[in-house]
Amino acid sequence: MKDHIISRYRTASSRSPKAGPQAVHAARNALSVLRRANEGYSRPLEKVLLLSYGRTGRRRHELLAKMLTPEIPNDSTALKELISRPTDFSDGWEPSAIVKSLAASQMQNTVVASVRIRPLIKQLEPPIPKQDSWGKEVCQSRKKNIRRKWYNATLSSLLPPLPEKDLQVLEGLISGNVPWEPVKRRGSTPQISQTRSETKSSGELFQLLARGPEKGTTFAAYANGRPHTITFRLMRRQWRRLSALVPRQYWNPISQKWRFIWDSPKPIPKLSFSLDSSIDPEAFFKQPIQAKEDKAEARQTSQ
């Protein structure tokens, strides 16, 4: 986030060719988001985490470009197949296998669809009509444009996987194996605080004499959320929501395809437990049977 904000302000400087009112507004907006995130506002804090872990922003494009880098073919047959594929979205063009697998997996994930940080993937194939409005075959230029538009829209919706190092840090933060504690804030000196209190009291007196008594306390300051104390519990909830938006990539040797697994935003209860080797599982089933036999013997003895 520090590099992100510094780059924004450098872009807004007079020496940059992209300097202008929009660049200045973008730089101030980035700094405002970081300040409100440090104050404990949930939405800015979530936005900072999404930017840092490549779910949005420039880093998402970098991770996506790294994922789309073509792999080195294993043999000459795979090399010939890679060279023979058209690259200008003409007939016979298809996206890479990893893009198709990730798009299909993300489309089935209900958590990603509910969060809506990226546009939803609606179709896994480019919607090319069989005939045009005149009842004739669709021309090649229109087919290329439809494929290009569909491919760009699919790439803008994908959530690429994280590098293994970043993924281990994220999982370690959630489990508590990676140490973390909130940053301690420095308080103001007593002299400065006393001066501020005197200035505030004189300002309140002037407003009372000029405008009359003010209205009571309202919730206008919390219209866009309220600040929270940044604790480990708060951050763990944020990390779990973020982890649910990160696909785990693995290679399936049986199908020879890339597969993706998504985490859950909430902890899943453990439904199975490992028994100690010294415990006899049959003893748990023998106890109720033995209790029934003892009751039957007691009844016969009493009779």
Side-chain angles (χ1 to χ4, degrees):
M1 287 303 299
K2 179 182 178 181
D3 296 338
H4 173 66
I5 293 173
I6 289 176
S7 64
R8 290 277 183 149
Y9 271 95
R10 285 177 178 173
T11 304
S13 63
S14 58
R15 298 179 181 179
S16 176
K18 299 181 181 180
Q22 295 182 354
V24 175
H25 176 72
R28 291 177 178 175
N29 186 25
L31 183 58
S32 175
V33 169
L34 184 58
R35 283 175 177 171
R36 286 182 287 126
N38 287 328
E39 292 174 359
Y41 288 92
S42 57
R43 289 292 181 85
L45 182 58
E46 183 181 3
K47 187 174 182 179
V48 167
L49 292 175
L50 292 176
L51 286 170
S52 302
Y53 283 91
R55 303 304 90 191
T56 58
R58 179 184 298 177
R59 190 161 189 239
R60 189 191 74 89
H61 293 280
E62 295 175 355
L63 295 175
L64 195 62
K66 189 180 297 184
M67 187 187 72
L68 296 177
T69 302
E71 299 180 357
I72 300 175
N74 297 327
D75 50 10
S76 58
T77 305
L79 179 61
K80 291 179 181 179
E81 183 181 355
L82 181 63
I83 296 175
S84 62
R85 290 179 182 176
T87 57
D88 57 347
F89 300 99
S90 58
D91 291 341
W93 171 88
E94 287 186 0
S96 59
I98 190 170
V99 171
K100 295 171 65 176
S101 299
L102 180 57
S105 177
Q106 184 173 328
M107 188 176 180
Q108 297 174 358
N109 192 349
T110 57
V111 177
V112 177
S114 61
V115 174
R116 292 182 178 271
I117 61 172
R118 305 302 307 168
L120 298 180
I121 300 176
K122 299 180 180 180
Q123 295 174 331
L124 296 177
E125 297 289 339
I128 300 177
K130 297 181 179 179
Q131 297 179 349
D132 57 6
S133 57
W134 299 96
K136 299 180 180 180
E137 185 181 358
V138 180
C139 60
Q140 292 296 328
S141 60
R142 188 184 175 191
K143 289 181 180 180
K144 290 182 180 180
N145 293 333
I146 292 175
R147 293 190 186 101
R148 183 184 297 105
K149 184 178 180 181
W150 170 84
Y151 185 65
N152 293 334
T154 302
L155 291 183
S156 65
S157 302
L158 290 181
L159 296 174
L162 280 174
E164 188 65 25
K165 181 180 179 181
D166 295 349
L167 188 59
Q168 290 179 359
V169 171
L170 179 60
E171 293 177 349
L173 289 171
I174 296 174
S175 61
N177 296 329
V178 175
W180 179 90
E181 58 182 5
V183 180
K184 296 181 180 180
R185 298 256 175 180
R186 293 183 298 176
S188 58
T189 58
Q191 184 178 1
I192 297 176
S193 61
Q194 183 178 1
T195 306
R196 287 180 179 176
S197 62
E198 292 176 357
T199 306
K200 183 178 179 181
S201 60
S202 61
E204 292 177 353
L205 180 60
F206 176 77
Q207 290 183 0
L208 179 62
L209 296 176
R211 302 178 182 177
E214 296 182 356
K215 60 181 180 180
T217 305
T218 63
F219 291 93
Y222 307 113
N224 297 323
R226 62 182 181 87
H228 298 267
T229 303
I230 299 180
T231 59
F232 177 74
R233 182 181 179 185
L234 173 66
M235 292 303 302
R236 186 165 56 182
R237 286 201 302 265
Q238 295 285 348
W239 290 326
R240 278 174 176 163
R241 293 173 187 171
L242 180 67
S243 178
L245 303 177
V246 178
R248 274 67 170 177
Q249 178 182 354
Y250 73 98
W251 176 256
N252 191 343
I254 299 176
S255 62
Q256 295 294 315
K257 293 181 180 180
W258 287 107
R259 298 298 181 187
F260 297 92
I261 300 177
W262 301 82
D263 196 6
S264 175
K266 295 182 179 180
I268 301 176
K270 191 174 182 181
L271 301 179
S272 61
F273 301 90
S274 59
L275 294 176
D276 190 2
S277 59
S278 60
I279 299 177
D280 184 12
E282 296 181 358
F284 293 98
F285 300 98
K286 291 180 178 179
Q287 287 179 358
I289 298 176
Q290 186 67 29
K292 290 182 179 179
E293 292 179 355
D294 294 342
K295 288 182 179 179
E297 290 180 359
R299 290 176 182 175
Q300 294 179 359
T301 304
S302 62
Q303 291 177 357

